[in-house]
Amino acid sequence: MKIRMKFSKQGPLKFIGHLDIMRYFQKVMRRADVDIRYSEGFSPHQIMSFASPLGVGILSNGEYVDIEVNSTEDSRTMMERINRENAEGFRVLSYRKLDDAAKNAMSLVAAADYTVWFKEEYEPEDVPGFMKGLLEFCGSESIEIVKKTKKGEKTMDLRPYIYEAYLTDENTRIFLKISSGSTANVKPEQIIGAYYSFLGQEYPVFGFQVQREEVYADEGGEENHQFKALEEYGAEIE
């Protein structure tokens, strides 16, 4: 049976890297006595796949991990059992059964939501003014950056991959829905860095807090995006 779990990552745990998160979840599955399925062979391991690695320092309310289990109780019971074993900062938000033919979360990722705001010690005098300028910049005809690849450097236009942008929290935070995954993996930091270059200012690398809110698949095409949260592919177990 395939299960998709959605979880949050908050507080100091934002400094835990992806490989350590994988090891952590393996231990939590054992402590919570989840009847997780193991691979066969000389070195069996838990069948577990994460949707999209999260960069160090980024908070999240919308992370996903797929597992396979031999048996399970209802969604509510399993969430309570796992969360009892979770460290403070990690919390399972949903536990849903997938169809047997469902694709794994990693292969589906096409877009993600982010909220970005200044850390207190880096705030300019006029935060709303800065954010309004950033929002206008997101609506530019093109936002070109130089991206480093294994083959060297190439110019990339970020604008087609910004699907939505607006301000929240009295114009002190910006919300971004942007491309993610294998096709075009855009990061909020790239957009903000491009804006600082446009202003002719140095980008404060540690000046912003980024929080991922949700991850989506795209059931449409480039001309007609139809985003669907990865959580929606599963069904609650009663």
Side-chain angles (χ1 to χ4, degrees):
M1 187 185 303
K2 294 181 179 180
I3 300 294
R4 176 163 296 160
M5 289 188 289
K6 180 179 182 179
F7 66 95
S8 60
K9 179 186 176 186
Q10 296 290 326
L13 292 179
K14 68 182 181 181
F15 297 114
I16 303 297
H18 181 64
L19 291 178
D20 287 325
I21 289 176
M22 292 173 62
R23 298 186 189 100
Y24 166 81
F25 265 92
Q26 291 169 2
K27 294 176 181 178
V28 168
M29 293 300 102
R30 291 195 291 268
R31 290 201 299 265
D33 199 25
V34 176
D35 188 14
I36 194 167
R37 187 171 166 235
Y38 282 76
S39 63
E40 300 177 356
F42 293 104
S43 180
H45 60 272
Q46 296 179 11
I47 298 180
M48 178 181 293
S49 173
F50 289 79
S52 180
L54 192 66
V56 175
I58 299 177
L59 301 170
S60 183
N61 290 319
E63 296 305 288
Y64 289 92
V65 57
D66 290 348
I67 63 173
E68 290 188 23
V69 297
N70 298 308
S71 64
T72 184
E73 295 187 64
D74 63 273
S75 295
R76 186 171 183 176
T77 299
M78 294 305 295
M79 287 171 58
E80 290 176 350
R81 185 193 297 178
I82 296 168
N83 282 330
R84 277 198 299 268
E85 303 300 333
N86 262 330
E88 184 177 352
F90 279 119
R91 185 168 183 80
V92 173
L93 305 175
S94 70
Y95 180 100
R96 296 188 171 194
K97 179 182 177 181
L98 298 171
D99 292 335
D100 290 339
K103 295 181 179 179
N104 66 51
M106 181 180 292
S107 67
L108 291 172
V109 175
D113 291 343
Y114 294 90
T115 303
V116 184
W117 63 93
F118 275 103
K119 295 178 181 176
E120 287 186 13
E121 60 270 30
Y122 291 93
E123 288 181 342
E125 290 185 7
D126 184 9
V127 175
F130 179 93
M131 289 298 182
K132 288 177 182 178
L134 176 58
L135 180 62
E136 290 180 7
F137 180 73
C138 288
S140 303
E141 288 188 10
S142 66
I143 302 175
E144 292 190 347
I145 64 167
V146 177
K147 188 174 182 179
K148 293 182 179 180
T149 67
K150 293 180 180 179
K151 297 181 179 180
E153 295 182 342
K154 70 173 184 177
T155 301
M156 177 183 181
D157 185 4
L158 298 177
R159 182 61 188 90
Y161 304 110
I162 302 175
Y163 304 128
E164 190 176 352
Y166 58 83
L167 302 183
T168 66
D169 196 22
E170 298 183 345
N171 297 333
T172 61
R173 300 187 177 202
I174 189 166
F175 170 91
L176 298 167
K177 184 187 293 292
I178 55 182
S179 178
S180 186
S182 58
T183 302
N185 191 37
V186 177
K187 299 178 180 179
E189 298 92 330
Q190 292 174 316
I191 299 171
I192 298 170
Y195 180 53
Y196 270 96
S197 294
F198 170 76
L199 295 175
Q201 300 177 15
E202 184 177 352
Y203 170 46
V205 179
F206 302 106
F208 293 87
Q209 180 60 65
V210 178
Q211 178 168 276
R212 185 148 67 187
E213 307 292 357
E214 187 56 90
V215 179
Y216 300 91
D218 187 0
E219 297 190 340
E222 291 185 7
E223 302 299 325
N224 183 30
H225 295 293
Q226 297 179 24
F227 297 119
K228 182 176 180 179
L230 298 188
E231 183 180 30
E232 296 178 26
Y233 285 90
E236 291 284 326
I237 304 171
E238 303 294 337

